[in-house]
Amino acid sequence: MPEPKIVVKNIEKIFGKNVDKARRLVESGTPKNEILEQTGCAVGVFDASFEVYEGETLVIMGLSGSGKSTLIRCINRLHNPTRGKVTVDGTDVTKLNDEELRRIRQEKFAMVFQRFALLPHRTILENAAFGLELQEMELEKRQEKARDALKLVGLEGWENVYPEQLSGGMQQRVGLARALAVDTDILLMDEAFSALDPLIRAEMQDELLALEDRVQKTIIFITHDLDEALKIGDRIVLMKDARIVQIGTPEEILKEPATEYVKRFVENVDMTKVLSANDVMLKAASVTVGKDGPRTALHMMKERGISNLFAVDKSRRLRGIIAADDAEKAVKEKAKSIEHIILDHEAYKVQPDTPLEEIMPLMVDLHVPVAVVDEDNKLVGIIVRGSILAGLTTKENDETTETA
């Protein structure tokens, strides 16, 4: 495993003066509201530990009041932790003086908030360049960086308009561009899309995924929305009442909930947004072009009780699909090759990480399996209607052979 970029260890944030008593009450299991009544202290985060790796998108999620926003603010010390340690690239952030903290924020952190916080009297270009202006970068250079960032988020050509002329989604893109312009290693995004309507929010989620593929930032993303967390996160930190209750990949959270609370939290999730082709694909029967003939293809189909068979080359790269009727006709014609009966299958190929929600529309009018291929176009499996239903029912990989 690579060295983590961010290490959060036993972070605690208790607001108020009677911290020691509040801590003892937390450790005894006293609810947060009772601790507030007895001590006047508000418990924001308690004993939080996790790691974030370079290029990873880590989602911290939970209901309102769970402590997720407090936790992210402890990472860049917008809140000074009551106890615990945060290291970034080996530097202990919790021990930095004001000047050192200012420097590491400029070099390492950029933050995108739920509210766009754009300056209404400044143009979009000036808003995108604002962080660089605070760093006292000279005008021409900061405008160049801001233009590049606006282009990354799809706002090229909008540089000279003002925030009020943009939709909510476009304004949030400006906020994202402002964070990207300062070119830090880490993006902290606190409920960044929560104020957007559902359609624009989905578009921004897609944009963030595409953007992450291009710029390779380390992202910590705060949300209260499970579907958003499952879509965006490489891993998820789930919080309840100031504590972390589970950390895992989206699939681990769904398949192996650590507590009854997590189980209830995820029980109504749309599994088509979580499961991918890799989770439901079956072993693919195939014939090899240049080795197998139509008689072999027809025999394999009869043995398996199927009406279609994939054709691959000797490296298992997908060539297409063969229908039983065509194989039978080729046998009657005494053909030795299957080359002329291979049908194109380009429209029905997906990669292993393709979500089920994108695959299911393909299956509506499709009477042949969907091929699952890797990045080299090598056949790794197939998907039929039955395998999708089995995957959604069991939430586990179906390792059986094709029965379509």
Side-chain angles (χ1 to χ4, degrees):
M1 287 290 290
E3 287 295 314
K5 189 168 188 67
I6 303 170
V7 178
V8 175
K9 188 172 183 181
N10 305 123
I11 281 294
E12 169 188 305
K13 180 61 180 178
I14 300 176
F15 299 92
K17 295 181 179 179
N18 202 352
V19 170
D20 290 338
K21 183 179 180 180
R23 184 181 296 118
R24 290 194 297 272
L25 290 171
V26 175
E27 291 171 343
S28 70
T30 306
K32 287 173 59 177
N33 59 333
E34 292 184 22
I35 294 173
L36 181 62
E37 289 177 5
Q38 294 183 39
T39 67
C41 291
V43 181
V45 177
F46 194 82
D47 197 28
S49 297
F50 58 89
E51 298 173 343
V52 190
Y53 293 89
E54 187 166 3
E56 180 179 27
T57 298
L58 183 82
V59 174
I60 303 175
M61 72 163 302
L63 300 177
S64 178
S66 61
K68 55 191 186 296
S69 291
T70 301
L71 179 53
I72 199 174
R73 282 164 169 75
C74 287
I75 292 173
N76 65 350
R77 270 186 59 191
L78 288 180
H79 291 323
N80 282 313
T82 308
R83 179 185 284 184
K85 181 178 180 181
V86 177
T87 59
V88 178
D89 288 330
T91 299
D92 186 348
V93 176
T94 56
K95 292 184 177 179
L96 300 181
N97 61 36
D98 289 346
E99 180 58 35
E100 292 168 334
L101 181 59
R102 190 160 34 249
R103 188 181 310 117
I104 201 170
R105 283 175 178 166
Q106 289 179 351
E107 295 174 356
K108 298 292 183 181
F109 295 108
M111 199 158 186
V112 184
F113 297 94
Q114 177 179 356
R115 298 299 171 186
F116 317 131
L118 302 183
L119 301 171
H121 60 287
R122 293 194 175 211
T123 65
I124 297 311
L125 181 64
E126 290 168 338
N127 269 281
F130 185 65
L132 300 172
E133 182 180 341
L134 294 178
Q135 294 180 14
E136 299 182 349
M137 182 179 291
E138 60 96 12
L139 178 62
E140 185 175 340
K141 187 174 181 181
R142 71 175 181 253
Q143 287 187 343
E144 180 185 355
K145 283 182 168 288
R147 288 181 192 278
D148 289 342
L150 288 169
K151 186 176 181 180
L152 273 175
V153 300
L155 287 178
E156 187 176 18
W158 293 86
E159 293 87 352
N160 297 318
V161 304
Y162 289 85
E164 65 177 11
Q165 297 172 266
L166 302 184
S167 67
M170 294 173 78
Q171 289 184 38
Q172 188 58 287
R173 287 172 188 263
V174 179
L176 185 54
R178 181 174 55 200
L180 292 171
V182 296
D183 198 24
T184 58
D185 299 342
I186 301 163
L187 278 179
L188 304 178
M189 304 184 70
D190 188 5
E191 298 274 12
F193 305 150
S194 296
L196 305 175
D197 68 56
L199 285 178
I200 296 175
R201 185 172 184 171
E203 289 176 5
M204 287 301 299
Q205 292 165 0
D206 291 337
E207 182 69 27
L208 180 63
L209 290 171
L211 188 64
E212 171 61 2
D213 189 52
R214 296 196 298 271
V215 299
Q216 294 295 301
K217 300 289 186 182
T218 301
I219 299 174
I220 300 180
F221 190 99
I222 301 295
T223 184
H224 62 270
D225 185 287
L226 180 59
D227 285 337
E228 185 168 67
L230 295 171
K231 182 175 182 177
I232 290 175
D234 295 312
R235 287 187 302 138
I236 297 171
V237 174
L238 185 57
M239 297 188 70
K240 177 181 184 290
D241 294 338
R243 290 179 178 266
I244 293 173
V245 291
Q246 188 167 357
I247 302 174
T249 65
E251 192 162 340
E252 288 168 347
I253 296 286
L254 290 171
K255 289 183 176 180
E256 302 169 14
T259 66
E260 187 63 29
Y261 172 79
V262 179
K263 185 177 180 180
R264 292 199 310 272
F265 202 93
V266 304
E267 63 185 358
N268 294 319
V269 70
D270 181 357
M271 291 301 296
T272 66
K273 296 180 178 180
V274 180
L275 295 179
S276 64
N278 187 62
D279 296 310
V280 300
M281 69 182 183
L282 306 174
K283 184 178 178 180
S286 63
V287 286
T288 304
V289 178
K291 180 178 79 71
D292 299 321
R295 195 174 295 276
T296 299
L298 190 61
H299 174 76
M300 290 179 67
M301 284 187 263
K302 286 181 177 179
E303 283 289 306
R304 289 165 173 77
I306 57 178
S307 56
N308 298 279
L309 193 66
F310 284 99
V312 298
D313 65 17
K314 290 183 179 180
S315 298
R316 287 200 61 78
R317 285 187 290 266
L318 181 64
R319 291 289 302 278
I321 196 166
I322 296 172
D325 290 345
D326 292 333
E328 188 171 11
K329 183 178 179 181
V331 169
K332 288 179 180 178
E333 293 173 350
K334 298 183 179 179
K336 294 183 178 180
S337 171
I338 58 174
E339 188 83 42
H340 67 293
I341 60 172
I342 298 174
L343 303 174
D344 180 43
H345 202 68
E346 283 295 313
Y348 312 120
K349 292 193 307 186
V350 298
Q351 293 199 320
D353 60 353
T354 304
L356 277 194
E357 65 175 341
E358 296 179 18
I359 298 171
M360 292 180 72
L362 294 176
M363 308 293 294
V364 175
D365 299 314
L366 193 60
H367 301 294
V368 296
V370 170
V372 184
V373 298
D374 66 13
E375 58 187 12
D376 295 320
N377 200 42
K378 292 182 179 181
L379 183 65
V380 296
I382 63 154
I383 298 173
V384 296
R385 288 185 178 89
S387 65
I388 289 180
L389 291 174
L392 291 174
T393 301
T394 65
K395 302 180 185 179
E396 295 178 357
N397 289 358
D398 189 334
E399 300 293 339
T400 60
T401 306
E402 177 200 352
T403 58

